[in-house]
Amino acid sequence: LAKKTKVFTIPSIEVTSKNNIDILGYFYNTQDLIDFWRKEIKKRVRRNRFFNLNRTTLNVNGIISRIREYGGVSALTHPFLPKIFIVFKNPKDSSFLLTRKKFINKVDIVEFHPHMIDYFSNFQDRITRLKKPMITGSDSHNVSTFKAFTGVRTFDRDEFLEAILKKKNIIL
């Protein structure tokens, strides 16, 4: 896409742990993402009857450490979703939300789901207190939830990721 247009892209993947926690991996180059997928994830993806969500046999720590081995940056997706959205993941697991929160300190970045902006007005306060970089927009699965973007003043992939890690980005 980036070669055919002037769109700025970052190689990335969403991987689901064995206990249904989604982790995003952002990479500085496409080859690292391809190697990560082929060597670490592809052989560990579980069969899924409904959707291919890249659910793996790895735990969250395993996913995060493998992303870092390939020079990538890890992000926890929408950790403060209300229970109504969590039921889809695993309705028998009442500790799901608490499980997600305990991984916030392990990842590099926290991503919140764009359609939750209006629902959780205090989300940014929570993340600020945790002193974690925050992003949005990357995990939208359709146009209707694409309400916000992560902005950085650069057209360079490395500078973009580094600015986020240094909390020099803005949410638009």
Side-chain angles (χ1 to χ4, degrees):
L1 181 64
K3 290 179 183 176
K4 294 180 182 179
T5 68
K6 293 183 180 183
V7 174
F8 183 77
T9 61
I10 297 177
S12 60
I13 187 171
E14 181 173 355
V15 180
T16 304
S17 71
K18 65 182 180 180
N19 55 338
N20 291 325
I21 304 296
D22 296 331
I23 301 294
L24 297 169
Y26 297 100
F27 297 87
Y28 289 90
N29 65 69
T30 305
Q31 191 58 54
D32 287 343
L33 168 62
I34 292 168
D35 291 345
F36 172 74
W37 166 255
R38 287 183 180 159
K39 296 175 183 175
E40 304 297 337
I41 302 303
K42 186 176 180 181
K43 63 187 173 190
R44 293 180 172 96
V45 173
R46 292 180 170 183
R47 290 183 125 186
N48 194 321
R49 296 184 326 183
F50 304 107
F51 302 104
N52 181 8
L53 299 174
N54 288 336
R55 185 171 179 206
T56 66
T57 57
L58 294 168
N59 63 30
V60 173
N61 292 330
I63 294 169
I64 293 168
S65 67
R66 283 169 174 82
I67 289 170
R68 289 180 178 150
E69 284 174 22
Y70 287 82
V73 176
S74 64
L76 179 63
T77 62
H78 37 78
F80 300 112
L81 280 177
K83 283 195 181 262
I84 191 167
F85 293 98
I86 294 169
V87 169
F88 176 74
K89 289 286 190 176
N90 188 351
K92 294 179 182 175
D93 185 1
S94 61
S95 66
F96 186 77
L97 187 61
L98 295 174
T99 301
R100 296 178 69 75
K101 288 180 183 178
K102 80 177 187 180
F103 292 114
I104 288 173
N105 289 325
K106 296 181 184 283
V107 294
D108 303 305
I109 299 168
V110 176
E111 187 262 4
F112 71 94
H113 206 286
H115 77 273
M116 298 304 298
I117 292 170
D118 298 329
Y119 188 87
F120 265 113
S121 60
N122 69 343
F123 180 83
Q124 194 163 357
D125 291 337
R126 289 182 181 194
I127 298 300
T128 302
R129 278 185 266 135
L130 293 168
K131 297 180 175 29
K132 282 288 178 179
M134 182 171 59
I135 60 171
T136 190
S138 61
D139 196 28
S140 269
H141 293 257
N142 60 57
V143 175
S144 67
T145 62
F146 208 62
K147 290 183 174 182
F149 305 88
T150 300
V152 172
R153 288 185 177 214
T154 186
F155 289 101
D156 179 83
R157 179 185 297 154
D158 292 2
E159 288 176 13
F160 189 88
L161 289 171
E162 291 304 314
I164 291 170
L165 291 170
K166 294 175 183 174
K167 297 194 273 183
K168 293 186 178 187
N169 62 306
I170 59 170
I171 304 298
L172 305 169

